[in-house]
Amino acid sequence: MKNILCVLPVEQRHKDKLEKAAAGCPIIYSSPDKVTDEQIAAANVILGCVDAKRVKASENLELFQLNTAGTDPYIVPGVLHENTVLCNATGAYSKAVAEHALASLLMLQKKLHRYRDAQRENNWTDFGTVSSITDFTVLVVGLGDIGCHFARLVKALGAYVIGVKRRPSAKPDCVDELYTQEELEKLLPRADVVFNILPGTGGTHHLYTEEYFRLMKDSAIFINCGRGGAVASEVLYKAISEKMIASAAIDVTEVEPLPADSPLWQLDDLVITPHVSGYYHLPHTFECIVEIAAENLAHYFAGEEPRNVVDFTTGYKK
Amino acid sequence: MKNILCVLPVEQRHKDKLEKAAAGCPIIYSSPDKVTDEQIAAANVILGCVDAKRVKASENLELFQLNTAGTDPYIVPGVLHENTVLCNATGAYSKAVAEHALASLLMLQKKLHRYRDAQRENNWTDFGTVSSITDFTVLVVGLGDIGCHFARLVKALGAYVIGVKRRPSAKPDCVDELYTQEELEKLLPRADVVFNILPGTGGTHHLYTEEYFRLMKDSAIFINCGRGGAVASEVLYKAISEKMIASAAIDVTEVEPLPADSPLWQLDDLVITPHVSGYYHLPHTFECIVEIAAENLAHYFAGEEPRNVVDFTTGYKK
């Protein structure tokens, strides 16, 4: 009998689905806060994100199914035993994050952030010309599930889409052109929108330097739903306040929560959301996560390779 | 020789286009502010919106090409001579207004208006669950050029679309279901979004009564880019403050500009833009208007029926 531990906020219908996949093996339900160190140490399977520090390279842990797409804290050496199979929830967040990014992009294009500010001062003011997505070249930096979903959305609205991937591959239909990350610098001057959706790994830390922002059009819109560490706060502040680009929307910040005294908050042409594009804000996301967890539980009991297995050296899905 | 008067803010390339269409007949260029009463009285053709009060039913005026889609002030009896052919700029605004409406809709869906308010208070706060356009039934009230363009956009993003038209016709591809305006009451309870894009005519004044808002879902989003008169300010205030619906975005108000002391300004879940979705905010719009004006000028000199001729009794394109 295996020890299956689930810390996802499941309802009865989710339990039914997981238990069916567990083929008669009971599941212990808890939460990331209430789960005990003993339960973690005894678990052969954990479903849901348990604090990385509490896993202590447990030898018992065979399958660890995260409820996040990001894997940063779990691939640090010493956190997991080398035999643990780590799986992420890639795919579950595509719709939620891509739609949030699209909403942010259109908001900036139509200057709705400025109109909202004016509204709060009972002020009927015209902020001038706007732009259309049909005239835009959108650069998607990070062409995983979320990047592809976003690419499909903006393409459906009429944008021209350039995708950037870590590794060379055949061009998917969701983009008009495809390049590898090495070519990013050459692509920045062509973009009306730069959408960063790279995960948080060593290779993406402070990727967007001041020079990168200077390479962008001064009319460009920058959107970051990847990791806040991809841009240093000072660089972002400078890029917007010195008008290297027109505006930006960020759902992630270098330090989270963004400190109350950060000068970023009061930039007129920066829109900040508090890392809400993903998580469980769109109910659909959680349904997908339970779906992935049930599927991988079934694979585990059938002795099959699960889906979304994470490569410890890259932090990406293998 | 005909008197052609143009009050559109044209550049040289626009003039070239219009003069080519005028087949050698000179064009007098002015602006709505600077044009003289003598110029208006002498004109056989006017391109652009001259103040309705100054036209004085001029007998000379044969073709009056507006730069607006709305025709309200010009179809009032006594403004135009019965022989004047009035044309509007229907079609020129489709992209601009439909994209503005879409941006407003996604902003409300993802609660970006609330996050903007929190940002202005340096406040990292989570406003909870959001919705997806893929789960939404969108009701488009007024299926002219703008309504159809908007329908295509939301359909491309995955919405189910119901269109409402004044007169019965074959269902266009941009909607999943089509009804006439008489059936509006029955459709309101089904809608997650009600997008009003009806023009300002007697039949649409105060169309959205308190009863109509009560018929909508309490999770519904109302968007008005048609005419402000379609909803009384008090009714809209009540509908939102009493949570008959979840939120609304309006680009038009019953009185414009919206008075600084209007209680509408400070409603958290109402987004107000100052009648900017159309006009010339998207440069594309003006290019379309010049295109229509040139085309109709050519039709005029060729003795042909122009496009976008307005029916004086309805205010709509014939």
Side-chain angles (χ1 to χ4, degrees):
Chain A
M1 196 59 87
K2 297 291 187 179
N3 281 315
I4 316 291
L5 175 63
C6 175
V7 298
L8 299 168
V10 284
E11 295 173 24
Q12 190 55 49
R13 65 200 166 87
H14 302 123
K15 289 182 180 178
D16 293 345
K17 193 172 273 181
L18 293 172
E19 284 159 24
K20 195 175 162 198
C25 184
I27 299 177
I28 298 161
Y29 296 100
S30 186
S31 70
D33 292 340
K34 291 186 184 146
V35 66
T36 67
D37 288 335
E38 293 66 34
Q39 287 172 325
I40 295 171
N44 302 116
V45 175
I46 299 178
L47 306 176
C49 289
V50 158
D51 185 354
K53 293 191 195 76
R54 299 179 63 192
V55 182
K56 300 182 195 298
S58 164
E59 265 188 284
N60 294 324
L61 189 57
E62 298 170 37
L63 174 66
F64 190 5
Q65 173 66 57
L66 302 177
N67 53 262
T68 53
T71 62
D72 343 2
Y74 300 96
I75 58 168
V76 176
V79 168
L80 297 185
H81 188 271
E82 58 182 358
N83 292 339
T84 299
V85 175
L86 179 69
C87 296
N88 69 4
T90 287
Y93 295 91
S94 307
K95 185 189 279 195
V97 179
E99 287 184 357
H100 179 98
L102 177 65
S104 304
L105 165 55
L106 297 185
M107 182 186 186
L108 292 176
Q109 269 202 319
K110 303 305 180 185
K111 300 186 176 170
L112 298 183
H113 59 303
R114 292 298 204 111
Y115 287 113
R116 181 64 173 183
D117 292 347
Q119 179 186 340
R120 288 324 210 164
E121 297 177 345
N122 297 24
N123 188 357
W124 183 275
T125 299
D126 190 326
F127 288 104
T129 55
V130 298
S131 54
S132 168
I133 186 87
T134 60
D135 298 322
F136 266 28
T137 293
V138 176
L139 182 62
V140 179
V141 186
L143 208 60
D145 288 303
I146 300 172
C148 282
H149 197 109
F150 179 78
R152 276 190 293 271
L153 295 181
V154 292
K155 210 165 152 56
L157 296 180
Y160 186 85
V161 187
I162 302 175
V164 169
K165 273 193 90 165
R166 205 166 33 104
R167 288 182 298 205
S169 75
K171 184 185 82 58
D173 287 342
C174 63
V175 297
D176 295 294
E177 299 177 34
L178 180 68
Y179 300 91
T180 59
Q181 212 170 305
E182 287 70 47
E183 299 172 272
L184 184 53
E185 278 187 43
K186 277 183 283 183
L187 300 168
L188 292 172
R190 291 179 58 194
D192 298 295
V193 176
V194 177
F195 174 49
N196 178 66
I197 188 63
L198 291 171
T201 66
T204 63
H205 187 70
H206 286 190
L207 175 69
Y208 296 88
T209 57
E210 184 179 326
E211 192 202 342
Y212 269 30
F213 284 103
R214 289 195 192 280
L215 284 170
M216 295 179 201
K217 295 182 184 181
D218 58 8
S219 59
I221 292 173
F222 177 74
I223 297 178
N224 189 8
C225 291
R227 282 291 178 266
V231 201
S233 295
E234 317 82 72
V235 170
L236 186 62
Y237 184 84
K238 204 169 171 188
I240 294 168
S241 60
E242 296 186 10
K243 298 187 190 303
M244 293 176 207
I245 59 172
S247 56
I250 56 171
D251 187 49
V252 288
T253 53
E254 206 180 4
V255 177
E256 294 185 4
L258 183 66
D261 62 356
S262 168
L264 290 177
W265 288 113
Q266 294 301 324
L267 283 173
D268 287 339
D269 285 317
L270 175 67
V271 162
I272 300 172
T273 51
H275 207 141
V276 291
S277 68
Y279 193 53
Y280 302 147
H281 288 89
L282 191 65
H284 164 83
T285 303
F286 188 66
E287 300 302 318
C288 289
I289 290 167
V290 173
E291 204 65 55
I292 295 169
E295 203 182 306
N296 280 348
L297 206 50
H299 285 311
Y300 170 78
F301 280 104
E304 299 160 352
E305 170 87 356
R307 66 185 263 208
N308 287 357
V309 175
V310 175
D311 181 339
F312 277 37
T313 58
T314 63
Y316 289 84
K317 188 171 73 168
K318 266 180 189 160
Chain B
M1 197 60 87
K2 297 291 186 179
N3 281 315
I4 316 290
L5 175 63
C6 175
V7 297
L8 298 169
V10 284
E11 295 173 25
Q12 189 55 48
R13 65 202 166 86
H14 302 124
K15 289 182 179 176
D16 293 346
K17 193 171 274 182
L18 292 172
E19 283 159 23
K20 195 174 163 201
C25 184
I27 300 177
I28 298 161
Y29 295 101
S30 186
S31 71
D33 293 339
K34 290 186 184 144
V35 66
T36 66
D37 288 335
E38 291 67 33
Q39 287 173 323
I40 295 171
N44 302 115
V45 175
I46 300 178
L47 306 177
C49 288
V50 159
D51 185 353
K53 294 191 196 78
R54 298 178 63 192
V55 182
K56 299 183 194 297
S58 163
E59 263 190 286
N60 293 324
L61 189 57
E62 297 170 37
L63 174 66
F64 190 6
Q65 174 65 58
L66 302 177
N67 53 260
T68 53
T71 61
D72 342 4
Y74 300 96
I75 58 168
V76 176
V79 169
L80 297 185
H81 188 271
E82 59 182 359
N83 291 338
T84 299
V85 175
L86 179 69
C87 296
N88 69 5
T90 287
Y93 295 90
S94 306
K95 185 189 279 195
V97 179
E99 288 185 355
H100 179 97
L102 177 65
S104 304
L105 165 55
L106 297 185
M107 181 186 188
L108 292 176
Q109 269 201 319
K110 303 305 179 184
K111 300 185 176 170
L112 298 183
H113 60 301
R114 292 296 204 114
Y115 286 113
R116 180 63 172 183
D117 292 347
Q119 178 186 339
R120 288 323 211 165
E121 296 177 345
N122 296 25
N123 187 357
W124 182 274
T125 298
D126 190 326
F127 288 104
T129 55
V130 299
S131 55
S132 167
I133 186 89
T134 60
D135 298 322
F136 266 28
T137 293
V138 177
L139 182 62
V140 178
V141 185
L143 209 59
D145 289 302
I146 299 172
C148 282
H149 196 109
F150 179 78
R152 276 191 293 272
L153 294 181
V154 292
K155 210 165 153 56
L157 297 180
Y160 185 85
V161 187
I162 303 175
V164 169
K165 273 192 89 163
R166 205 165 33 106
R167 289 182 296 204
S169 75
K171 184 185 82 58
D173 286 341
C174 63
V175 297
D176 295 293
E177 298 177 34
L178 179 68
Y179 300 91
T180 58
Q181 211 170 306
E182 286 71 45
E183 298 172 273
L184 184 53
E185 277 187 45
K186 277 183 282 182
L187 299 167
L188 292 173
R190 291 179 59 194
D192 298 295
V193 176
V194 177
F195 175 49
N196 177 66
I197 188 64
L198 290 171
T201 65
T204 63
H205 187 69
H206 287 190
L207 176 68
Y208 295 88
T209 57
E210 185 179 325
E211 192 203 342
Y212 269 29
F213 284 102
R214 290 195 191 278
L215 284 170
M216 295 180 201
K217 294 183 185 181
D218 58 9
S219 59
I221 293 174
F222 177 75
I223 298 177
N224 189 7
C225 290
R227 282 289 180 266
V231 200
S233 295
E234 317 82 71
V235 170
L236 186 61
Y237 183 84
K238 203 169 172 188
I240 293 169
S241 60
E242 296 186 11
K243 299 189 189 302
M244 293 176 207
I245 60 171
S247 55
I250 55 170
D251 187 49
V252 288
T253 53
E254 206 181 2
V255 177
E256 293 184 5
L258 184 65
D261 62 355
S262 169
L264 291 176
W265 288 113
Q266 294 301 324
L267 284 173
D268 287 338
D269 285 317
L270 175 67
V271 163
I272 300 172
T273 51
H275 209 141
V276 291
S277 67
Y279 193 53
Y280 302 147
H281 288 88
L282 191 64
H284 165 83
T285 304
F286 189 66
E287 300 302 318
C288 289
I289 290 167
V290 173
E291 203 65 54
I292 295 170
E295 203 182 306
N296 280 348
L297 206 52
H299 285 311
Y300 171 78
F301 280 104
E304 297 160 353
E305 170 85 356
R307 66 186 262 209
N308 287 356
V309 175
V310 175
D311 181 339
F312 278 38
T313 58
T314 64
Y316 289 84
K317 188 170 75 169
K318 268 180 188 161

